[in-house]
Amino acid sequence: MPKYRRRPFEVEAVQWTGSNLGEIEALGVSYSRWGFDHEFLRIETIVDAPMLKEGDWLVKSPSGYRIKPKYSFISTHELVRE
C-alpha cells in the first residue's frame, strides 16, 4: 500500500497578544474590536466573521484567513523564519 505525506507549505501567522494591532494589520485582514474592553477582534472574511481572542493565532494561508487556538497552532507548525 502506498504512503503519502502532506506537503508542507509556509503560512504567515500572528499571535494576538491584545496589543499588537500593527502585526494583525500587516497581514492585510479587516477587523473590528469587540468585547467590554475590546479584547476580541472580529475578523472579516468572505465566509464568516470569527472572533480572535488573546492567545489565538491568525493564520493567512492560500485558502484564506483562519483562527487557530494557541496549542493547536503550536503543535502543528514550526517557525521557518522571522
Side-chain angles (χ1 to χ4, degrees):
M1 166 110 23
K3 295 184 180 184
Y4 297 89
R5 182 185 335 209
R6 185 175 152 195
R7 290 187 181 139
F9 60 92
E10 293 181 20
V11 295
E12 293 179 76
V14 174
Q15 187 175 26
W16 173 238
T17 64
S19 61
N20 58 336
L21 277 176
E23 292 180 60
I24 299 292
E25 291 169 349
L27 284 179
V29 66
S30 297
Y31 66 88
S32 55
R33 301 291 301 257
W34 281 70
F36 182 72
D37 290 328
H38 297 250
E39 67 270 24
F40 299 102
L41 291 183
R42 183 174 179 246
I43 304 302
E44 307 293 336
T45 65
I46 294 172
V47 178
D48 58 2
M51 296 292 231
L52 182 67
K53 66 181 185 295
E54 192 171 320
D56 286 348
W57 286 82
L58 178 61
V59 182
K60 180 181 178 182
S61 68
S63 60
Y65 294 98
R66 294 176 292 147
I67 291 177
K68 292 280 195 174
K70 178 180 180 179
Y71 298 107
S72 171
F73 183 82
I74 291 172
S75 67
T76 58
H77 293 78
E78 64 180 345
L79 180 62
V80 176
R81 65 179 181 276
E82 288 193 51

